[in-house]
Amino acid sequence: MSSTLGSVRRVPLRSAALVAVVFFYFLIFAQFGFLHLLDRLESPGLVKGGMAMMAAGGILGSVMAARGGSLNQLSLRLRVGFLGSAAVAVASAWMEGLALLFLAGALGLCVGTLTVSLVGFLGQTVPRAHVGSVCGWGTGLAYAACNIPPLFLASAEDHAVMAGLAGLIGCGLAWTDGSAQSIPAIGEDAGSAGRGWIGLIVVTFTALVWLDSAAFRVIQSDSLIRDSHWADPAHIWLIGLSHLAGAVFAGWWIDRRGFTLPLLGGYSLLAIGYWVMLGHFGGALGGGLYAVGVSLYSAPLVAVALKQGQAATASGRAAWLFAVAGWLGSGMGIGMADDLGRVPWWIWGTFGAVLLLSLSGLASTYRRTAV
């Protein structure tokens, strides 16, 4: 009996570590290092082509992983995804030119498989009552690790190598002995997630991911903003700690009160932090506010498919969410930033209105359960 209880306590820790590794790979490489490699092609058309191929691969990987499976099947899928991701990352450090475009599709395929399989794995290893905390700590630690100054300021090739190491670590964390059993969800089942609920969730997170991706692309492409708010090691440390605090708080709140406050707070701080940085005032304040905003919505992005509906179908819900909000939303945000050079105020206003409407719809439909 005591050994069984001990294994149950250890599983959420391993699951949080898996969230951290998957998010670290995605952040340091798929959304940062690899984009810098694409930028070296010095052709906007080729860069957009690479992002389009990555998005297409990500959507395909998400759809392929949507069917879920047993815990051992999900473990195997995670290991394959991690090994493929590690190979793509390491290979990219030595590739140049058009070869990167073909690699972009493979990168998207591996990451799409990883993210959706991860949600399925969490659905069978984490009690429902602790989903928020596991996702909060996992995403927070990933963001914090990416913002350790020597890692953040490293070259794109170094980011590729670090992502390769993360893939190998993740493969080890996902390993099971072949006899692993799912842990029954503890606590109230949040009910059946219908098409309307999934649609509203996808709209909500598409707006947030779009804004975040566009804002971060502007920040990293504008040398004045980057050097003022995201280049000093002290500022980077503060941003990393802000990420961690925001994600841990969001996870804690999700397990107790739901998603509304983290999502509204995430949007608000994203907007305030971005405009503070754009105005070149506030010192480290803008970056810190922006980081908290990002983490406030990132923890729910992983947790939302697990808090609503049956654990066995979590992979299917995650596939819809990550395919549309994650891949299309991110790609559209980056493309908009490259075209406009800014995120106009009317985009913030329009997306804010969309967010309020979608959250209102969720609250009215699931007053006692979801948001």
Side-chain angles (χ1 to χ4, degrees), residues 117-202:
S117 299
L118 172 67
V119 171
F121 188 88
L122 295 178
Q124 299 193 41
T125 58
V126 180
R128 191 185 298 274
H130 303 306
V131 162
S133 294
V134 167
C135 295
W137 277 102
T139 55
L141 289 172
Y143 275 113
C146 289
N147 282 279
I148 295 173
L151 302 186
F152 184 85
L153 298 173
S155 67
E157 288 81 6
D158 288 338
H159 288 156
V161 172
M162 285 185 279
L165 291 174
L168 296 179
I169 293 171
C171 185
L173 288 170
W175 191 273
T176 61
D177 60 7
S179 61
Q181 299 295 318
S182 302
I183 294 178
I186 298 173
E188 180 183 354
D189 189 342
S192 176
R195 292 181 180 178
W197 177 86
I198 295 174
L200 289 171
I201 285 294
V202 168

Side-chain angles (χ1 to χ4, degrees), residues 296-357:
L296 283 177
Y297 90 80
S298 294
L301 178 62
V302 183
V304 69
L306 296 164
K307 279 289 192 178
Q308 180 72 29
Q310 299 294 329
T313 56
S315 294
R317 295 190 295 277
W320 274 104
L321 179 60
F322 295 154
V324 179
W327 291 105
L328 292 182
S330 177
M332 294 299 290
I334 293 171
M336 184 186 73
D338 287 343
D339 288 339
L340 302 180
R342 291 288 186 272
V343 186
W345 65 267
W346 58 269
I347 290 288
W348 288 101
T350 301
F351 281 32
V354 169
L355 183 66
L356 286 174
L357 288 172

Side-chain angles (χ1 to χ4, degrees), residues 229 276 279-287:
H229 302 277
V276 168
H280 302 292
F281 62 89
L285 177 64

Side-chain angles (χ1 to χ4, degrees), residues 41-130:
L41 297 176
E42 298 182 348
S43 169
L46 290 178
V47 172
K48 288 184 178 180
M51 290 192 296
M53 291 190 68
M54 191 191 307
I59 293 170
L60 178 60
S62 298
V63 171
M64 290 172 58
R67 65 184 181 277
S70 68
L71 182 59
N72 291 318
Q73 289 172 329
L74 290 165
S75 170
L76 176 61
R77 201 174 302 152
L78 277 173
R79 281 176 277 157
V80 171
F82 274 124
L83 289 176
S85 298
V88 168
V90 174
S92 71
W94 283 273
M95 285 192 175
E96 297 180 354
L98 295 179
L100 288 173
L101 298 183
F102 296 99
L103 202 63
L107 172 60
L109 181 67
C110 292
V111 175
T113 301
L114 269 182
T115 50
V116 174
S117 299
L118 172 67
V119 171
F121 188 88
L122 295 178
Q124 299 193 41
T125 58
V126 180
R128 191 185 298 274
H130 303 306

Side-chain angles (χ1 to χ4, degrees), residues 197-255:
W197 177 86
I198 295 174
L200 289 171
I201 285 294
V202 168
V203 168
T204 298
F205 282 99
T206 298
L208 289 165
V209 172
W210 187 317
L211 289 171
D212 178 23
S213 300
F216 187 71
R217 183 67 166 173
V218 169
I219 293 166
Q220 291 301 311
S221 299
D222 189 315
S223 59
L224 289 176
I225 299 176
R226 186 180 66 248
D227 293 345
S228 298
H229 302 277
W230 221 301
D232 183 86
H235 288 180
I236 297 174
W237 277 116
L238 175 63
I239 288 168
L241 293 175
S242 298
H243 272 303
L244 179 60
V248 171
F249 171 79
W252 176 83
W253 189 272
I254 288 167
D255 284 337

